[in-house]
Amino acid sequence: MAEHFKNYIDGQWVESESGKTFENRNPANRHDLIGVFPSSGAKDVDRAVSAAKKAFSKWRLVPAPKRGEILYRVGELLRKRKEEIARIMTREMGKILKETRGDVQEGMDTAFYAAGEGRRLFGETTPSELFDKFAMSVRVPVGVCGLITPWNFPMAIPTWKIFPALLCGNTLVLKPAEDTPHTAVKLFEILEEAGVPPGVVNLVHGRGEEAGAALVRHKEVRLISFTGSAAVGREIASACGRQLKRVSLELGGKNGQIVMEDADLNLAVEGALWGAFGTTGQRCTATSRLIVHRDIKKEMTDRLVERAEKIRIGDGLDESVEMGPLINEAAREKVHRYVQIGKEEGARLLTGGTIYEEGNWIDGYFYRPTIFDRVSPSMRIAQEEIFGPVLSVIEVKSFEEAIEVLNGTPYGLSSSIYTGDVARAFRAMRDLEAGITYINGPTIGAEVHLPFGGVKDTGNGHREAGTTVYDIFSEWKAVYIDYSGKLQKAQIDNVE
Ligand code: NAD
């Protein structure tokens, strides 16, 4: 019998109003049914938003250090249950245990960072231009927040949004991805156990077009924080624009790793393998383009191909496995379609390009690590986000050309350069159009206390993580206190 899971609204685990459900299955083995989850609609969203609105009046007044203490307890509980949650996550979305442990670790790091922020959450004090007058700015919460998240970081991404939102005094409704509802349930069990009051956090499962869209439309939701594809991000941004609703978007990437002729090739090969095939290439920061100087291209690609062919593919719950499945059948079809497009465009397939159905793995969505050579920068496989284990190698003749190629896509999330030349490293830092630049490291590896996000089509200018996320989840209020006992007029009374 499949386990039945529920929504979490106003401190209670409840069914959806319609009673409709959807199934969640293991991508490494489609016969493994994880559970059945409510397929929620507008009524469920409305119920959750009403609970969040009611809870807001009290939660916003809880001192920020106290809110931080609750988040500290959340971090401790995540630590205690790290292994259990990592296993649940691997079964639910396929990435290997090392990575799902890292995903929970990111949640813990975010909790402890937010807990500390509870005793800062600094505003500014500044002199007034007038006598006997005091001026300062303070952060105030926004209100009810709607959070919509993807499946590739089922713990980290919800916590990136939930913890800072709560710390700032907001209440919220989370609509997690349909492919990873189980991890979200675990997180909400922990929020409940840590003492987050009823109504402050609410969980509504369901399809994006139903539950997600209802959250975006809801008049009482003051802010939407969305991480996902650029296509859905655009729809959400325009719906929010029409309502003048605050919206933060973290969208796709087409990240490049540059390798110059003066680079440490061992390092560059390790970085490219991890960047391209970690999480089966399903990271917003995955390396999907390798931009290599022609002098070292042959050696670099030979080594990469040799290593890629040795990557152990299988169920991520097996500690010896290095790459798990893709998230679902549609994702595998998409990856395979792009491989055909690459071939038709004239790129040369060096390895992979086929579905992996060996031995026990016939019932999962596995795909071989794939490398294309002779890719030109304008090809679709070099421009569009594939979100799978496909790496396109682009040959360049100079540093300047490498920078131009890396910048030549609509996205601007992560970027990397391997070089032994400090001047090139500094030029790359300055000239790469991306929210993140790594020098002698792969395109993945962000830490939670630095700003995270991208330029161009990767988002709309916000940054999660770091202190910058607090600008998403709070409003600035300027406060003036006049103790002169008379009416003083700014810009008028202070003029000589
Ligand atoms: P997706 O856009 O299909 O779905 C993301 C979420 O949006 C899901 O919860 C989905 O149910 C919901 N949704 C779908 N349609 C909706 C609608 N019309 N209204 C409201 N909600 C809707 O993305 P995905 O396949 O889950 O995730 C992969 C994408 O996410 C990739 O493009 C990847 O680059 C991106 N991503 C970006 C970051 C980042 O921080 N920049 C991080 C991780 C993933």
Side-chain angles (χ1 to χ4, degrees):
M1 259 294 270
E3 200 177 339
H4 267 71
F5 293 90
K6 296 182 177 169
N7 289 333
Y8 183 72
I9 298 177
D10 209 6
Q12 304 290 319
W13 292 95
V14 295
E15 306 280 0
S16 70
E17 297 261 349
S18 70
K20 280 199 296 180
T21 56
F22 67 94
E23 288 183 346
N24 179 22
R25 288 176 183 271
N26 180 347
N29 175 6
R30 68 192 93 190
H31 302 302
D32 177 18
L33 178 61
I34 292 162
V36 168
F37 292 80
S39 185
S40 315
K43 282 189 183 157
D44 305 293
V45 167
D46 190 44
R47 216 170 137 188
V49 172
S50 304
K53 191 171 179 222
K54 197 173 83 204
F56 179 64
S57 57
K58 279 201 184 142
W59 180 250
R60 74 185 181 90
L61 300 178
V62 174
K66 292 278 165 229
R67 298 195 292 251
E69 280 168 28
I70 296 179
L71 291 171
Y72 191 87
R73 285 204 290 280
V74 172
E76 290 283 271
L77 289 167
L78 280 170
R79 193 203 302 276
K80 211 164 107 192
R81 293 175 68 179
K82 181 173 176 180
E83 189 60 23
E84 174 206 341
I85 297 172
R87 287 180 175 276
I88 285 171
M89 201 189 303
T90 294
R91 182 177 169 214
E92 178 167 61
M93 58 74 69
K95 69 185 173 189
I96 60 172
L97 272 176
K98 264 193 203 119
E99 294 185 30
T100 52
R101 288 181 190 124
D103 200 320
V104 182
Q105 181 66 44
E106 206 165 314
M108 284 159 52
D109 295 345
T110 304
F112 295 136
Y113 189 83
E117 196 56 29
R119 288 196 178 265
R120 288 185 294 267
L121 213 59
F122 297 136
E124 287 178 343
T125 56
T126 179
S128 165
E129 65 188 37
L130 295 163
F131 286 96
D132 297 331
K133 196 170 174 185
F134 184 87
M136 64 181 169
S137 62
V138 293
R139 288 186 189 272
V140 293
V142 180
V144 177
C145 301
L147 315 178
I148 302 176
T149 51
W151 48 265
N152 63 339
F153 282 85
M155 178 61 76
I157 294 178
T159 62
W160 278 13
K161 300 180 189 303
I162 293 175
F163 299 165
L166 291 182
L167 198 271
C168 289
N170 303 289
T171 58
L172 59 94
V173 179
L174 172 74
K175 205 302 284 173
E178 301 86 310
D179 284 300
T180 50
H182 196 192
T183 307
V185 165
K186 292 293 138 189
L187 174 59
F188 273 69
E189 285 173 4
I190 285 175
L191 289 164
E192 185 179 31
E193 192 181 336
V196 177
V200 171
V201 290
N202 303 275
L203 171 66
V204 177
H205 298 285
R207 293 178 52 238
E209 299 81 348
E210 282 180 67
L215 195 55
V216 171
R217 273 196 315 269
H218 202 293
K219 287 196 172 54
E220 300 290 353
V221 174
R222 304 283 289 273
L223 175 161
I224 292 289
S225 171
F226 171 79
T227 300
S229 61
V232 175
R234 279 198 175 86
E235 270 179 50
I236 290 180
S238 39
C240 289
R242 283 192 296 276
Q243 301 170 78
L244 298 178
K245 188 174 284 192
R246 183 184 270 238
V247 58
S248 105
L249 304 172
E250 295 286 346
L251 310 175
K254 190 70 192 172
N255 315 289
Q257 172 183 321
I258 296 174
V259 186
M260 296 312 299
E261 76 284 8
D262 55 20
D264 176 334
L265 277 202
N266 290 331
L267 262 190
V269 168
E270 292 301 326
L273 287 166
W274 175 228
F277 304 125
T279 322
T280 322
Q282 302 169 109
R283 286 177 180 239
C284 51
T285 53
T287 308
S288 57
R289 297 178 298 149
L290 191 69
I291 301 160
V292 195
H293 193 276
R294 66 178 171 192
D295 292 357
I296 47 147
K297 198 203 76 180
K298 179 150 181 7
E299 190 179 350
M300 179 89 197
T301 44
D302 286 351
R303 287 213 223 169
L304 269 178
V305 168
E306 192 195 332
R307 291 283 303 277
E309 287 175 352
K310 288 195 187 125
I311 289 176
R312 276 190 300 279
I313 303 172
D315 185 343
L317 286 171
D318 174 345
E319 299 271 5
S320 71
V321 162
E322 293 168 303
M323 194 178 98
L326 289 160
I327 186 69
N328 54 35
E329 186 63 56
R332 186 162 68 172
E333 278 171 14
K334 179 180 170 198
V335 169
H336 200 49
R337 208 166 48 245
Y338 269 105
V339 167
Q340 308 320 312
I341 291 171
K343 288 184 194 163
E344 284 159 20
E345 286 180 309
R348 184 172 64 160
L349 185 63
L350 293 181
T351 186
T354 52
I355 284 167
Y356 183 82
E357 288 185 313
E358 315 230 322
N360 292 334
W361 310 126
I362 191 124
D363 293 318
Y365 308 115
F366 297 97
Y367 205 84
R368 283 195 170 78
T370 300
I371 303 177
F372 274 110
D373 186 15
R374 297 194 191 153
V375 177
S376 68
S378 60
M379 286 181 184
R380 285 183 63 192
I381 56 168
Q383 288 289 324
E384 297 170 22
E385 189 181 45
I386 301 174
F387 226 54
V390 182
L391 181 66
S392 292
V393 179
I394 304 172
E395 181 182 308
V396 290
K397 292 184 284 303
S398 64
F399 171 77
E400 289 71 24
E401 188 186 355
I403 299 281
E404 193 184 321
V405 168
L406 194 140
N407 289 343
T409 78
Y411 294 108
L413 182 51
S414 187
S415 58
S416 140
I417 179 164
Y418 283 75
T419 177
D421 179 340
V422 71
R424 281 175 167 175
F426 271 88
R427 282 192 197 113
M429 260 193 282
R430 184 192 61 196
D431 296 339
L432 289 175
E433 293 170 0
I436 310 168
T437 292
Y438 295 90
I439 310 293
N440 294 329
T443 58
I444 60 187
E447 301 177 27
V448 306
H449 52 297
L450 280 87
F452 183 92
V455 302
K456 303 197 284 190
D457 288 2
T458 292
N460 63 343
H462 292 279
R463 291 290 181 274
E464 291 195 325
T467 49
T468 41
V469 70
Y470 295 93
D471 290 331
I472 299 176
F473 288 105
S474 63
E475 298 274 10
W476 280 113
K477 177 181 274 195
V479 182
Y480 302 92
I481 303 138
D482 193 324
Y483 53 97
S484 68
K486 57 183 186 222
L487 173 65
Q488 300 195 85
K489 302 187 197 100
Q491 294 89 39
I492 295 171
D493 291 348
N494 63 327
V495 177
E496 276 180 23

